[in-house]
Each structure stands twice: as structure tokens, then as C-alpha cells.
């Protein structure tokens, strides 16, 4: 069995997709996968699946929904009734989110150890598990939105670590398009601007690198009322001084 959350919640058996046709079924599946192998009380499940404003009276609707999820998973008995509620049993390696987190941790550790080739290979594999925004096709209730934002931040952390590793390997030319897209999507991220400035500088585009700094400064001032942080300012000074430490041959300064 394969469970997927890094996109629309999906079930697969032997590679074949098992359709989860109803929104409430997808919501229940997402909630139980996010709490895999942990028992959730009926009250907690109802609150998360329906939301406080639309929660049904009693537990009859939940029992019906649990029954329908069991039917989708049959003949495997994965939904367990425990003394304190219900849990969805997930085996190691079956959930894409667990696999992503495992690979991202290995890749980040490799980066910390200076093994940039391993970091690139592992982080690339981790990020390929993402099909689209996580938990898409699931009702956007407040509790679920908070989870979605947290997952997207995990993805961004892995992407930033991958950028650092690739810059350390001198892949700045290949990275430019991705970094430009990253700053367009997340203009509030100073880390994204640092990566773009460094890549542009290493491509011999010093003026454009300094122009990127001005774009970052203007955005931060206009939208947040702040100046760039000390790291971004230090990078600008290094670029102005043509600091040799910014060359691709010095991966310790790959930002």
C-alpha cells in the first residue's frame, strides 16, 4: 500500500490508484495520515474533518465515514478501533511525507558535512516526491491550512538546502532560472535573494547581482518597513569589493 499527501491525498495498491471520491473521505484520510499510527478520539476527528461550524451531532456520521474508508482500503485492515479512538496503520516506507522527511534529513546532514554531491542527489530525490501543493483537493479549514503552510515551509527548507549544495558545486548557471522564479514567488525571503545575487555574480553579471539587491531592499522597505538583514548587506559589500571568497571554488562561502 502507498499513501500520498504531497499533492491530492491518494491511495495506491501495487501502483494502481484507488480513487477517494468524496471530499469528506479525502479529509478523513489526510487527517489520519498526518497522525499515522496515532489514535485520535472521535471528538477530535469530527472537529478536524468537519470543522467546528459544520460538525455533526453525535458520532454516527464519523462511524459511517470510517466504514467507507475501510471499504476503500479493503481487504487490508488498516483503520483500527482503539480504546481512545481510531488510528490508521501505516508501515515504514508507505507514506510519501515520511519518505520526504527522511531523505530531506539525510540531504541536509550531508550538506552540513560538506558532502555536496550526496546532498544534491538526496535532496533532489526528496523534492521529486512533491506532485503539487500538499493536501490539494482537501477542504481548506483553518487547522488544515496551518498544516499545509508547515509542509510548504519544509519543502522550502529542502529547496534552499539544495540551492546551497548546487552553488557549492559551481552549478550557478543552471540554477539561475530556478532562483529567479524563487525570488518572484517568495520576495520576502532574503535567503532567496542571497542565492540569486551569488549566482548572478558567479556568472559574471555583477551589475545585475547588485540590481537584485536593490530589488530586495525596495521590496522589504515597501512591504515590511525594514532594511535587508546583515547577511544580505554583507553579501552586497563583498560583491562591490569583488571579494575572492565569492568564487565558486570556495564552497564554504556558497551561502
Amino acid at each position: 500500500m502507498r499513501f500520498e499527501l504531497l499533492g491530492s491525498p491518494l491511495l495506491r495498491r501495487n501502483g494502481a490508484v484507488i480513487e477517494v471520491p468524496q471530499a469528506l473521505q479525502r479529509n478523513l484520510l489526510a487527517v489520519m495520515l498526518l497522525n499515522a499510527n496515532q489514535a485520535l478520539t472521535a471528538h477530535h476527528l469530527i472537529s478536524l474533518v468537519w470543522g467546528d461550524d459544520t460538525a455533526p451531532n453525535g458520532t454516527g456520521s464519523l462511524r459511517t465515514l470510517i466504514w467507507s474508508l475501510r471499504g476503500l482500503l479493503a481487504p487490508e485492515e488498516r483503520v483500527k478501533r482503539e480504546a481512545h479512538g481510531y488510528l490508521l496503520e501505516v508501515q515504514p516506507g508507505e507514506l510519501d511525507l515520511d519518505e520526504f522527511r527522511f531523505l530531506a534529513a539525510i540531504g541536509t546532514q550531508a550538506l552540513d558535512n560538506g558532502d555536496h554531491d550526496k546532498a544534491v542527489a538526496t535532496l533532489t530525490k526528496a523534492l521529486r516526491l512533491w506532485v503539487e501543493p500538499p493536501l490539494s483537493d482537501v477542504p481548506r479549514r483553518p487547522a488544515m491550512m496551518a498544516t499545509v503552510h508547515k509542509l510548504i515551509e519544509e519543502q522550502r527548507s529542502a529547496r534552499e538546502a539544495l540551492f546551497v549544495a548546487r552553488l557549492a558545486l559551481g552549478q550557478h548557471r543552471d540554477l539561475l532560472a530556478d532562483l529567479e522564479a524563487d525570488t518572484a514567488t517568495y520576495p520576502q525571503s532574503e535567503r532567496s535573494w542571497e542565492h540569486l545575487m551569488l549566482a548572478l555574480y558567479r556568472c559574471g553579471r555583477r551589475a545585475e547581482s547588485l540590481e537584485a539587491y536593490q530589488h530586495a531592499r525596495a521590496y522589504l522597505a515597501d512591504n515590511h518597513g525594514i532594511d535587508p538583514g546583515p547577511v544580505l548587506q554583507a553579501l552586497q559589500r563583498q560583491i562591490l569589493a569583488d571579494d575572492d571568497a565569492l568564487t565558486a571554488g570556495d564552497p564554504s562561502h556558497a551561502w
Side-chain angles (χ1 to χ4, degrees):
M1 185 69 72
R2 176 73 170 175
F3 301 97
E4 299 180 10
L5 286 175
L6 302 180
S8 180
L10 282 179
L11 301 172
R12 297 181 191 269
R13 183 181 289 114
N14 299 324
V17 173
I18 302 171
E19 296 293 337
V20 186
Q22 300 176 15
L24 282 175
Q25 288 176 326
R26 293 191 294 273
N27 209 16
L28 175 64
L29 176 63
V31 166
M32 297 192 81
L33 285 174
L34 288 167
N35 298 275
N37 302 311
Q38 301 177 47
L40 298 175
T41 66
H43 176 76
H44 195 189
L45 277 171
I46 289 170
S47 176
L48 291 173
V49 173
W50 276 272
D52 293 333
D53 295 335
T54 59
N57 294 322
T59 59
S61 296
L62 175 62
R63 288 196 298 269
T64 299
L65 198 57
I66 290 285
W67 177 83
S68 71
L69 182 58
R70 281 178 171 148
L72 291 173
L73 293 167
E76 297 188 44
E77 297 182 3
R78 295 300 189 97
V79 181
K80 310 289 186 180
R81 181 72 170 94
E82 299 287 323
H84 300 293
Y86 298 91
L87 66 79
L88 178 59
E89 185 180 88
V90 177
Q91 302 295 332
E94 290 185 333
L95 178 60
D96 63 350
L97 178 57
D98 288 344
E99 184 179 358
F100 165 75
R101 286 172 169 166
F102 175 75
L103 291 170
I106 292 175
T108 302
Q109 185 61 57
L111 179 61
D112 291 342
N113 293 338
D115 190 344
H116 301 113
D117 287 309
K118 182 177 179 179
V120 168
T122 311
L123 291 166
T124 298
K125 186 176 180 180
L127 289 164
R128 282 177 180 162
L129 294 169
W130 287 69
V131 180
E132 51 189 302
L135 302 171
S136 58
D137 208 21
V138 169
R140 288 298 190 251
R141 298 192 174 93
M144 194 61 74
M145 284 305 299
T147 299
V148 169
H149 291 319
K150 180 178 181 297
L151 294 177
I152 289 174
E153 282 305 306
E154 290 186 48
Q155 182 195 34
R156 278 193 50 73
S157 293
R159 279 173 55 83
E160 288 180 351
L162 178 60
F163 289 152
V164 171
R166 292 186 63 187
L167 284 169
L169 291 173
Q171 298 177 8
H172 38 273
R173 295 185 188 279
D174 296 334
L175 272 177
L176 272 181
D178 287 340
L179 294 175
E180 288 170 348
D182 203 55
T183 54
T185 304
Y186 303 102
Q188 74 281 6
S189 170
E190 293 191 42
R191 188 104 168 133
S192 297
W193 289 107
E194 291 160 17
H195 293 150
L196 177 60
M197 289 169 61
L198 184 62
L200 285 167
Y201 182 80
R202 287 181 174 177
C203 288
R205 296 162 63 175
R206 180 176 182 272
E208 291 172 75
S209 178
L210 293 170
E211 184 179 353
Y213 175 82
Q214 297 303 327
H215 286 312
R217 186 176 70 171
Y219 178 88
L220 293 170
D222 293 344
N223 293 275
H224 300 283
I226 59 174
D227 292 325
V231 175
L232 198 60
Q233 292 186 38
L235 178 57
Q236 184 213 26
R237 289 194 295 271
Q238 285 182 286
I239 292 170
L240 287 169
D242 289 316
D243 191 333
D244 290 340
L246 296 180
T247 62
D250 186 1
S252 65
H253 289 79
W255 257 262

